[in-house]
Amino acid sequence: MRHLIPSWVRVPVIFFIIFGAVEFFIDSGEKPAFIEYPIVLWFLFLVLLILIAIEAIVSALENVMLQTLDDEAKARFLAKKEGKYSFAKLKKFYNEKLWTFRPLEEEGEIILDHNYDGIKELDNNLPPWWLYGFYITIAFAAVYLLRYHVFNGDSQIDELETELAEARTAIEAYKKTAKDLVDINTVTLLTEASDISAGKSVFDTNCVACHMADGGGGIGPNLVDQYWILGGDIKSVFKTVSEGGRSGKGMIAWKQQLKPIQIAQVSSYVLSLQGTTPAKPKAAEGDLWVNDNGEEE
């Protein structure tokens, strides 16, 4: 494959494959695609077989062609091929520009006069890549010192706290628009016509058998008076619908059948029935409910 795909292509591809695999197994916590979907593994295996076949065909064609060439033409072909894939220009640039060591054969010319117990010192050059890298670390250290120790720039802890605060704000904003995330702690009385209508639909489908269509009560209690068995505010009604009524009797828990937003909507619809007049109201049950302002509801 090295003659079919150049190193400048193969090396980045291999790197990104390894990096992606490490990232996947460390962060995702999910099953690899080739385990959850075996067809992916078969596809990769097929691609590998195709690449091997192409490499074999190319090599075979090269061997056949080489047999038809004389020694001089064969040498030119091999030299051209070697030069194409060996990065000769890159090697020359590296040796001449990025690696200025004097070769071992020339060390005698750069030995310093002094020595200690036979230990002599060479006056060789540092590789430019190493030297300039060292200069970069010095510049980075100076900038870092000024940024964080002189001008008191934000530390990683400060940045973390800022990001956490932004995340909390974003979560709260999202909760306000994502009604399905509502729970007993965040539920509020819904007053929009669309929510009341949706709540009525849920009530008509699931609740009329026990509470009657007008909320006057049947098997279940009257929902239009000011008396409540388990509380008459939105949080109490939401909890009753979600978790069910009194243990051993009363309404079932609807949290398995209804979404949180549906429970909030039907609870708000039930409270909207307060003050209406049902056809055959059931006798009051429970306690007279008083809101936080001391007013009856």
Side-chain angles (χ1 to χ4, degrees):
M1 292 301 296
R2 65 180 181 277
H3 302 313
L4 184 63
I5 304 175
S7 298
W8 62 269
V9 174
R10 285 186 287 118
V11 172
V13 168
I14 293 173
F15 170 78
F16 284 114
I17 289 175
I18 295 175
F19 178 81
V22 172
E23 184 77 10
F24 180 85
F25 283 108
I26 290 178
D27 291 340
S28 71
E30 301 175 358
K31 292 181 179 179
F34 61 81
I35 292 179
E36 189 168 359
Y37 306 102
I39 191 173
V40 176
L41 182 61
W42 286 107
F43 176 76
L44 294 176
F45 181 68
L46 178 62
V47 171
L48 179 61
L49 288 180
I50 292 174
L51 292 177
I52 293 174
I54 293 174
E55 170 69 9
I57 293 172
V58 172
S59 298
L61 291 176
E62 286 182 353
N63 291 333
V64 172
M65 184 183 64
L66 287 174
Q67 292 177 2
T68 63
L69 301 176
D70 55 32
D71 293 340
E72 184 178 352
K74 185 184 298 185
R76 287 199 304 269
F77 174 80
L78 294 176
K80 182 179 179 181
K81 179 180 177 181
E82 178 66 21
K84 183 177 180 181
Y85 294 104
S86 62
F87 299 101
K89 292 182 178 179
L90 181 60
K91 289 182 177 179
K92 181 179 179 181
F93 173 78
Y94 178 81
N95 291 329
E96 294 180 358
K97 302 297 183 181
L98 300 182
W99 190 269
T100 56
F101 269 0
R102 298 286 289 274
L104 184 64
E105 296 78 10
E106 301 177 8
E107 284 188 350
E109 301 176 9
I110 55 175
I111 295 178
L112 298 179
D113 294 334
H114 65 275
N115 66 77
Y116 183 79
D117 284 345
I119 300 174
K120 299 180 180 180
E121 181 181 355
L122 294 177
D123 188 20
N124 215 335
N125 297 323
L126 287 170
W129 63 265
W130 191 99
L131 185 62
Y132 294 132
F134 180 63
Y135 291 155
I136 291 173
T137 61
I138 295 175
F140 176 82
V143 173
Y144 187 92
L145 176 67
L146 293 173
R147 176 72 174 84
Y148 294 103
H149 296 279
V150 176
F151 299 106
N152 296 321
D154 292 341
S155 67
Q156 290 180 329
I157 299 297
D158 297 328
E159 293 176 357
L160 175 62
E161 292 176 349
T162 300
E163 292 178 1
L164 288 176
E166 292 174 352
R168 294 189 192 100
T169 302
I171 290 173
E172 293 302 321
Y174 176 72
K175 285 182 176 180
K176 293 179 180 178
T177 58
K179 294 182 178 179
D180 277 337
L181 295 180
V182 66
D183 58 21
I184 184 62
N185 298 311
T186 60
V187 64
T188 57
L189 183 65
L190 304 176
T191 57
E192 293 185 8
S194 58
D195 289 319
I196 299 300
S197 177
K200 183 179 185 304
S201 178
V202 174
F203 186 88
D204 292 343
T205 302
N206 302 285
C207 309
V208 295
C210 297
H211 297 282
M212 307 304 288
D214 56 10
I219 299 174
N222 185 335
L223 299 177
V224 303
D225 57 24
Q226 286 82 35
Y227 290 83
W228 294 86
I229 299 172
L230 297 174
D233 63 334
I234 185 61
K235 292 184 182 297
S236 299
V237 177
F238 182 94
K239 181 179 180 181
T240 302
V241 176
S242 176
E243 304 298 331
R246 292 162 291 177
S247 177
K249 59 180 178 179
M251 186 172 61
I252 65 170
W254 287 96
K255 60 184 178 183
Q256 301 300 330
Q257 290 90 343
L258 300 177
K259 297 179 180 178
I261 181 57
Q262 291 177 308
I263 298 177
Q265 289 169 337
V266 73
S267 300
S268 297
Y269 171 73
V270 166
L271 291 177
S272 74
L273 296 176
Q274 292 286 289
T276 60
T277 305
K280 296 180 181 180
K282 188 178 180 180
E285 299 178 74
D287 301 318
L288 181 65
W289 181 258
V290 179
N291 62 22
D292 295 337
N293 296 325
E295 300 175 353
E296 295 182 0
E297 292 186 350

